[in-house]
Amino acid sequence: MGNRSFHGISPAEHKRLRRLTAAPINGLEALTLFVSKIEDILGPSMEKWAESGQPVALMTEMNKVTYMVITNILFGANVDYDMQKMESLFYDLAQGLISIPINFPGCTYHKALKARRELVKILRANLDERRRVKNKKERAIEEKDMLDLLMEVEDEDGEKLDEETIIDVSLMFLLAGHETSAHATMWAAIFLKEHPEILQKLKKEQEEIIRRRPPTQKGLTLKEIRQMNYLSMVVDETLRRGNLSFAVFREATADVDIDGYLVPRGWRVVVYLRAIHVDPENYSKPEEFNPSRWEQTVKAKAGTFLPFGGGSKLCPGMDLAKLEMSIFLHHFVLHYDMERLNPNSPMVYLPLASTYDHCLVNFKRNH
């Protein structure tokens, strides 16, 4: 992932870099820009699935959509490189993260390192081109993407991020903003179809959002999404019940006593998230899909809801992932329906929880 990604820097530098990159990724300006980008990709894609008249592997198609979303958010819509080549390189890089680190031709890890070098070249050329354009004219706010925002950010001393940091952070977000979002969105659709009363309640909320909208407005706004209280509960319950990320990995920085058991300093610790999210001590009827458990009057105890990790290592792509899920679900419950062709499909649990058939469905428009 590079020397300047969040995974490999010191705690102090991690804190500094997170602070500097928070606004370009999760700030109000960034998320406002992202809404229309996501909707412009999701809307036509869903329409295409419905019009095809053929079964759709929802997991596969959502992977394509979330890849288009994250590359559009990062690079903008007008790119002059081979997107299929980029996707192939990105896939090789992702596979390297879960491979045995043998740097020998033909091995997955070797391919990943080679893919990284190619991706770095593409990003570096992109940054050079942006600097040339910037010297000629300032880009309008609506034309900006994440790379623009990362290039503009400054610390308290007026120092900007260096090129190596921008590249490593960008590659990190290409990974973090892709596959997990696709899986979470797939599970949200599955859970809603299994619970029609919840789907109808969500649909009613979305219809009310549309009813209050000015007649001249086209498309969703961030303000509207933040008013979708029940949809937010559906998203959180999907993340809890879907249990996508199976664990986080940490290191004990001091001797820790847990109920009489000593965890010595320096030991590696695996926090098994899937056990936490279905622990009956944390959640009543944990196997049940119940968005209402997230009513504002009910708050999860600290350390019991960790779909994006926690503390200083909280996944920086959390708000973007929830935004993608929210926009998909808004359009899905209002305009579309689906029927699973293999409702009893076997499951795959690593690295992410999914169905073996990639959720094969008949996807159609509501009449």
Side-chain angles (χ1 to χ4, degrees), residues 21-298:
T21 57
I25 296 156
N26 294 320
L28 180 63
E29 179 184 336
L31 292 176
T32 300
L33 289 172
F34 297 163
V35 171
S36 60
K37 289 176 181 286
I38 295 170
E39 201 168 22
D40 287 346
I41 292 170
L42 262 175
S45 296
M46 297 173 79
E47 189 68 35
K48 181 180 176 182
W49 305 340
E51 290 179 349
S52 71
Q54 301 294 322
V56 171
L58 186 60
M59 181 70 258
T60 302
E61 295 304 319
M62 278 307 306
N63 257 324
K64 293 177 183 177
V65 166
T66 54
Y67 177 77
M68 284 192 288
V69 166
I70 193 61
T71 51
N72 189 292
I73 283 173
L74 188 62
F75 300 112
N78 300 315
V79 291
D80 58 358
Y81 48 77
D82 187 336
M83 287 295 291
Q84 282 192 323
K85 180 184 177 182
M86 274 281 290
E87 189 171 3
S88 176
L89 291 170
F90 171 74
Y91 175 81
D92 288 344
L93 179 66
Q95 292 303 301
L97 289 175
I98 52 174
S99 69
I100 299 171
I102 301 174
N103 189 11
F104 190 80
C107 294
T108 302
Y109 186 71
H110 180 83
K111 286 179 67 177
L113 292 176
K114 185 177 178 181
R116 176 186 161 80
R117 288 193 292 272
E118 289 296 314
L119 287 166
V120 167
K121 285 181 185 176
I122 293 170
L123 280 165
R124 187 164 284 138
N126 196 297
L127 290 171
D128 289 342
E129 177 61 25
R130 285 163 191 265
R131 292 189 190 99
R132 282 194 290 271
V133 172
K134 190 175 178 64
N135 290 335
K136 296 177 182 177
K137 66 171 185 174
E138 191 71 27
R139 295 182 78 182
I141 182 65
E142 63 272 11
E143 296 177 349
K144 290 184 178 180
D145 48 51
M146 193 186 293
L147 268 185
D148 288 316
L149 298 175
L150 286 171
M151 292 174 71
E152 291 172 3
V153 71
E154 296 180 353
D155 65 15
E156 56 274 11
D157 298 321
E159 292 292 325
K160 293 182 180 293
L161 297 176
D162 59 57
E163 185 175 89
E164 182 184 10
T165 299
I166 293 174
I167 288 172
D168 287 353
V169 168
S170 299
L171 288 176
M172 179 185 69
F173 273 96
L174 274 169
L175 286 167
H178 174 38
E179 203 164 0
T180 304
S181 300
H183 279 75
T185 303
M186 176 198 74
W187 279 113
I190 289 174
F191 289 141
L192 287 172
K193 285 301 297 178
E194 290 176 347
H195 299 83
E197 71 287 354
I198 294 173
L199 189 151
Q200 287 305 313
K201 185 174 180 179
L202 180 58
K203 184 177 182 180
K204 202 171 178 182
E205 178 189 64
Q206 302 309 300
E207 288 172 340
E208 179 61 21
I209 292 288
I210 297 295
R211 191 187 65 78
R212 296 199 303 260
R213 178 181 291 174
T216 55
Q217 180 182 320
K218 293 183 180 180
L220 280 167
T221 65
L222 185 62
K223 181 180 178 181
E224 287 177 332
I225 293 170
R226 289 180 168 175
Q227 293 171 345
M228 299 173 183
N229 295 326
Y230 192 65
L231 185 144
S232 177
M233 290 189 274
V234 169
V235 167
D236 282 347
E237 183 67 348
T238 298
L239 294 169
R240 181 198 70 83
R241 187 62 189 83
N243 253 334
L244 302 173
S245 299
F246 72 95
V248 291
F249 305 90
R250 297 291 183 263
E251 181 179 319
T253 56
D255 290 351
V256 182
D257 183 277
I258 302 176
D259 294 334
Y261 293 91
L262 175 66
V263 180
R265 177 183 177 181
W267 272 31
R268 304 299 170 87
V269 179
V270 178
V271 183
Y272 194 57
L273 303 179
R274 288 178 180 166
I276 293 171
H277 291 156
V278 293
D279 188 337
E281 291 188 13
N282 297 331
Y283 300 99
S284 173
K285 299 180 181 177
E287 299 295 331
E288 185 178 293
F289 182 75
N290 177 21
S292 295
R293 72 171 80 244
W294 298 102
E295 294 279 0
Q296 291 182 351
T297 54
V298 180

Side-chain angles (χ1 to χ4, degrees), residues 331-351:
H331 287 281
F332 177 66
V333 300
L334 285 177
H335 306 301
Y336 297 98
D337 194 9
M338 75 178 201
E339 178 188 5
R340 289 184 68 188
L341 300 185
N342 304 307
N344 298 316
S345 172
M347 290 285 298
V348 178
Y349 291 98
L350 290 174

